[in-house]
Amino acid sequence: MNYREFSEECVRVFALNGFPTPNENELQRLFDLTEIMLEVNEKMNLTTIKEPSQIILKHYLDSVSVSKYIPEGARVIDIGCGAGFPSLPLAIFRPDLSITPLDSTAKRINYVSETAKKLGLSNITAIAARAEDLARLPEHRESYDVAVARAVADLPVLTELCLPYVKVGGRFVAMKAAKGDDEYARAARAIELCGGGSSSIIQADLTSDGVELEKRRLIIAEKVEKTPKIYPRNFSQISKKPL
């Protein structure tokens, strides 16, 4: 798919889902990101989605679906960013944000960091570390306006990993598929124990043809008080006995 075909597909899919039309700069960066990702993907496992039209829908549009829930000028941490989603598309469409992609795999963080530089994105600072370890450091604990996570782990587990990063008055946004409905029902205790208050689940289904839907859920938990110092626990404890 050449640039013209790619940009036309982007505009079509964004409009079909009720999103603003990307401008020329955004389209060019998305195209460049696609080429970089698919080239690196031949040597390193970044994504199983290789068709550009599906990348637009399942990676790019999915990533920017959280944008409306992130305030202007926010400091954002992306827990378990993997190949840079939602970090890289968010950085393209929201230059006002300061984004910290976090992943325990150094190779992926190096890829995200280098790709951000190639795309001219100055609002990304990627970190290689385990989420439960970094959350204990004063410069990161309760210092972000928003923590986001995209299909990394079960929601009770994610909540314990993510809410400690969020300052009081901020929020945690979990990006899930349809199973998010069930996870949301089981996460109330974890949200409360980690300092969360009111929470909500938002249907955010996506489509490329107006008929078949990619089922998506956004689960939002507001931070109302500081997270107790005992959280997050060691990951073995988190996974064996979720809150």
Side-chain angles (χ1 to χ4, degrees):
M1 185 178 286
N2 59 36
Y3 173 72
R4 182 184 61 81
E5 294 169 333
F6 178 89
S7 60
E8 288 176 352
E9 178 68 2
C10 263
V11 169
R12 185 187 73 82
V13 173
F14 272 63
L16 187 62
N17 288 277
F19 285 77
T21 301
N23 61 39
E24 195 64 35
N25 179 58
E26 291 162 348
L27 289 169
Q28 184 64 61
R29 279 175 159 162
L30 289 178
F31 179 74
D32 292 343
L33 172 56
T34 305
E35 292 206 313
I36 292 168
M37 181 173 66
L38 291 178
E39 180 181 351
V40 175
N41 199 55
E42 294 180 1
K43 303 175 184 177
M44 181 175 144
N45 183 26
L46 295 173
T47 180
T48 59
I49 303 169
K50 301 177 182 179
E51 173 58 43
S53 63
Q54 291 299 297
I55 290 173
I56 292 168
L57 178 71
K58 296 180 180 180
H59 281 326
Y60 302 161
L61 197 62
D62 187 42
S63 291
V64 300
S65 68
V66 301
S67 181
K68 67 174 71 175
Y69 305 103
I70 301 176
E72 187 79 16
R75 188 179 184 207
V76 180
I77 186 165
D78 176 8
I79 309 293
C81 69
F85 303 118
S87 288
L88 291 171
L90 269 182
I92 290 171
F93 285 90
R94 294 288 305 274
D96 61 290
L97 301 178
S98 175
I99 303 174
T100 301
L102 172 66
D103 200 277
S104 61
T105 305
K107 283 186 178 180
R108 288 187 174 180
I109 285 299
N110 289 338
Y111 160 77
V112 171
S113 184
E114 288 302 312
T115 300
K117 290 178 183 177
K118 290 176 182 176
L119 297 175
L121 300 173
S122 60
N123 56 337
I124 278 188
T125 304
I127 298 176
R130 295 189 64 86
E132 66 274 22
D133 294 334
L134 195 73
R136 298 188 185 102
L137 301 182
E139 62 266 36
H140 292 283
R141 189 175 185 87
E142 295 183 324
S143 62
Y144 293 88
D145 300 292
V146 180
V148 298
R150 183 175 181 252
V152 178
D154 196 54
L155 188 58
V157 172
L158 267 185
T159 298
E160 185 172 349
L161 292 173
C162 294
L163 268 178
Y165 286 96
V166 181
K167 61 178 64 172
V168 173
R171 59 177 43 158
F172 162 44
V173 184
M175 307 170 67
K176 292 287 184 176
K179 67 178 183 179
D181 294 328
D182 174 62
E183 293 184 33
Y184 178 61
R186 293 186 284 102
R189 183 170 182 269
I191 292 172
E192 181 181 4
L193 288 175
C194 291
S198 63
S199 61
S200 58
I201 182 167
I202 298 167
Q203 186 171 320
D205 296 341
L206 303 172
T207 181
S208 59
D209 57 17
V211 180
E212 187 174 356
L213 295 177
E214 288 288 329
K215 295 188 182 298
R216 294 290 187 273
R217 301 290 185 268
L218 297 178
I219 299 167
I220 301 174
E222 307 294 340
K223 184 76 171 280
V224 297
E225 57 186 26
K226 288 190 174 183
T227 303
K229 291 182 179 180
I230 59 171
Y231 303 122
R233 298 165 293 166
N234 293 328
F235 191 75
S236 59
Q237 294 175 294
I238 298 173
S239 57
K240 289 177 182 177
K241 193 175 182 181
L243 297 176

